[in-house]
Amino acid sequence: MNAHADRAEAELTVDPAFAVGEVDPRLFGSFVEHLGRCVYTGLHEPEHPTAGADGLRRDVLELVRELGVTLVRYPGGNFVSGYRWEDGVGQVAERPRRLDPAWRSIETNEFGLNEFMRFTEVAGVEPMMALNLGTRGPQEARELLEYCNHPGGTAWSELRRSHGVPEPHGIRLWCLGNELDGPWQLGHKTAEEYGRVAAEAARIMRMTDPNVRLVACGSSNSSMPTFAAWEGTVLQHAYEHVDYVSLHAYYEEVDGDVDSFLASAEDMAHSIDSVVATCDHVRAKLRSKKRLQLSFDEWNVWYRRRRDPATEPAWEIAPRLLEDSYTVTDAVVVGSLLVTLLRHCDRVAVACLAQLVNVIAPIMTEPGGAAWRQTTFYPFADAARHGRGRVLRTEPRSTRHETADYGEVDLLHSAAVQEDDDTITLFAVNRSTNRPLDLVADLRAAGASRVLEHRVLTDTDRHARNTARQPDRVRPTRLTGASIDRGVLTAALPPLSWNVLRITAAT
Ligand code: AHR
């Protein structure tokens, strides 16, 4: 598109007749791993002034509810591939301390399965349980399932009852291991080895409880040398036994290349399209009637290159690990990744922002002290609240610019969601760091009559962040100026911004 040098332009058409699909509420999931302070002094801190009798911090629970998380994956991550779930049940005083080789920490096991399930109840979220298929196998997976979901009358189900949980947990969604393609993973496997184990574990799980839904491990990220080949081989074995394939992706700004960073969603979209293509290729080969869905069960901004494991604390309880402090730029990227998930809602059913508290998280805490929202909290909360309903198919056209990693990309990145008959929400990212973007959206087919609100997250300092001292340094603000004339919306999106434009057809 032609644009003035100092302003960018974009146009799009929204027509409720053309939809991508319905959003599965589980798209707004998150992730709790026994890593650093995510569990201990994050979710769980019995000595904290706000903690209940269950040891859960009420200040954190309030923020979890405000964030709008619908599902939480647990207990890892790399941690799960060496975990013995039996260590975390029964009398707390009798639970063993163990070394966690994945994060070189000490695990006290004070928090385990039943404490996590208590958290899911209080927070009102669905559990997504990950199994150890690294150092353990299908038998231990089956026993855990029996402990969790069988009503009673067997050794494992009676053990649960003896732990004060008379009713089965009824956990439906299970991950068949974690990142087993990665050489860093405990029990790392080849695709052939993992495909066989995943298929066997899945068969045994279904024989134990036919209601389970199962996620096979896809690649750890799209740069893995075995990306797509791994999925192809694994699915050749496991296609008929699983319901989802997982994807993981983390992004960061490298060497000040902010334009590539702001276009990270290009990689996420490419990963989704590639895994969809691989699933459908295997489906065709197997002549299967089943169509697999995707579970993007780890995604976020994570400054991995800044990490130096050699200087991190070793063999401590709940050390400060991966406590990234997020900027406005990071929040805009998180918003853009949410836009991508929404635009692929026909195939991505589950997604988890990794992680929930303290560890690369939207919520931060101090032990014995405050809890606060990182910048990334806001786009997630907006999408979880207003990104429910039908994603409409839009084909935006906007001013483009060159990026080192992704070539030419659009400056506008957006998704339109029809929440109900009267309300459409447009999520929109302006990827330009210096140009406001003039958006024109034709909403005549939707009968748009009024802008309900235009909320924006932006700042003159793109590095601004929230801290314990300044927890509200960055907050969304409301903009005036967006308007609708005869069904056509015009709005100005500030440089480097996350925007929520809510539009009604009601008079
Ligand atoms: O979320 C942090 C780590 O990232 C997880 O433990 C692992 O699965 C991934 O590599």
Side-chain angles (χ1 to χ4, degrees), residues 31 33 35 77-78 103 178-179 248 250 298 302 354-355 360:
F31 176 33
E33 177 166 6
L35 194 185
N78 297 341
W103 299 106
N178 178 71
E179 294 190 351
H248 290 181
Y250 293 100
E298 286 187 34
W302 175 11
Q355 300 192 2
I360 46 172

Side-chain angles (χ1 to χ4, degrees), residues 16 46 94 106 112 115 135-136 153 159-160 220-221 247 255 326 368-369 423 462 475 487 497:
E94 288 165 21
I106 289 182
E115 287 80 16
T135 59
R136 302 186 115 188
L159 183 65
R160 181 198 71 239
S220 303
N221 60 67
L247 292 91
D255 298 333
Y326 291 121
T423 322
R462 78 174 185 88
R475 288 181 73 90
S497 60

